[in-house]
Amino acid sequence: MARTSAEAGEVVRVTEPSDEMTPFEAATFFFHETADRLGLADEMRQVLATSYRELAVQIPIRMDKGKIEVFRGFRIQHNGARGPYKGGIRFHESADLDEVRALAALMTWKNALIDVPFGGAKGGVQCEPGLLSEGEKERLTRRFTTMISYIIGVNRDIPAPDMGTNAQTMAWMMDSYGQKMGYTPGIVTGKPVELGGSPGREEATGRGVVMCTMHSARKRDMKPEECGIAIQGFGNVGYWTAALAAEEGCKILAVSDVGGGIYNPKGLDLEALVKHQREAMSVTNFPDGEAVTNDELLELPCDILIPAAIEGVITGENADRIQARMIVEAANGPTTPVADRVLSGRGIAVVPDILANAGGVTVSYFEWVQNIQQFRWELDTVNKELQKRMTTATESVFERSRADGTSLRDAAFDIAVERVAHAAHLRGYV
Ligand code: NAD
């Protein structure tokens, strides 16, 4: 069911946070608090609180059984002051205008914070990808690409994978775009390596999450290699976060997918779990652990909690019961503004999404650079460059938080919004 959305260009501001806020209201709540702290002029606030361009499209496709079904899709370009618009495409039932708008704005802040020369965008198709055949997914992707082809481009707007989409989806997008415009590998990132994708892109978001988690834990005087971690979501980001954190010596105590979770206080055997997931199409019913719900997973005893699925899961209702000492937001927007205040009051560090999951877009940037230069980097170069950027951004957020006495989220938003506002001013937007 679609949420009611504000008009395009309308400034949305909810001053008293509640768990009933929509994703866009929650994202703009954090922005307005930042604008207040920075003393942004009203015109600048209006430019940065709203999207630059919003495209909503109908996507009729023929289903395998012969019937035509009409899906809704969106491409939202939030702000392009620092470079071409950049952000993933989400296939999910909740991907409505409000959610995609929120995610587009978060991309602007994330790209500024990690300091890649991109603005922010996001796309979405409201569908249940698990119920679609490969053929239906391909037709949906190709038609959606055609519908948004007027506003994307290598120097204009570059999509990537997000929830419900993957390297194959990007290959179809690149092919559809190329049929009209000629061979254009830089039109999307997160492509298969054989088609010009970057080595290391598939695991980049999880790798960045782990780099940021290790760094942040040390900053909080925790020994990360001795930490027990619970992870919600076991898709691209959740899986790679688990696998790479385990390589660092962390114990993965619990993971989940949409069907539920699995918990073992002694640590899960990831290799066996992945085998089980491949056969059963879910992590649920894994024999070597105790079944937990997605809600229970968030409240398990652990050192570090990593939400890596959907937004709005840590709320005013459960924030009091979270036992982790640190939360690392691998998902976008998993903590509501109400929960954020509760956690801050309890001294639980929240490493914000725009920092923690920025590894994906960073390697997407490397992929785009390689495509433009028609040159391939070695995996080792990609990972070293990623480490440099994650370290610099994490250090700057901790330093700003220490200097200003603010939370890590506030510090991250302050740095990001300042950079975008400065670029917008230099360009003469306001
Ligand atoms: P994915 O589709 O590969 O995996 C999503 C996982 O979440 C799956 O395990 C799925 O079963 C689970 N899930 C779906 N709905 C759920 C629900 N209602 N409750 C609990 N679990 C649920 O997606 P992904 O690419 O891993 O993305 C996960 C999160 O990370 C999203 O918030 C996305 O925006 C964010 N993110 C992804 C990337 C990327 O490069 N893929 C980059 C930055 C941020």
Side-chain angles (χ1 to χ4, degrees), residues 90 162-164 201 205 234-237 257-258 294 308-310 332:
R90 175 174 288 197
D162 189 70
M163 244 173 43
R201 173 59 184 92
T205 306
F234 203 58
N236 172 286
V237 180
D257 58 29
V258 66
N294 265 297
I310 53 164
N332 283 309

Side-chain angles (χ1 to χ4, degrees), residues 90-93 103 107 110 122 161-165 201-202 204-206 232-239 256-260 277 294 307-311 313 330-333 357-361:
R90 175 174 288 197
F91 281 7
H92 197 268
E93 56 192 324
L103 293 165
M107 285 308 299
K110 185 182 307 180
K122 202 81 181 187
D162 189 70
M163 244 173 43
T165 57
R201 173 59 184 92
E202 196 204 315
T205 306
Q232 183 182 68
F234 203 58
N236 172 286
V237 180
Y239 164 72
S256 67
D257 58 29
V258 66
Q277 185 204 27
N294 265 297
I310 53 164
E311 55 271 345
V313 291
N332 283 309
N357 69 32
V361 75

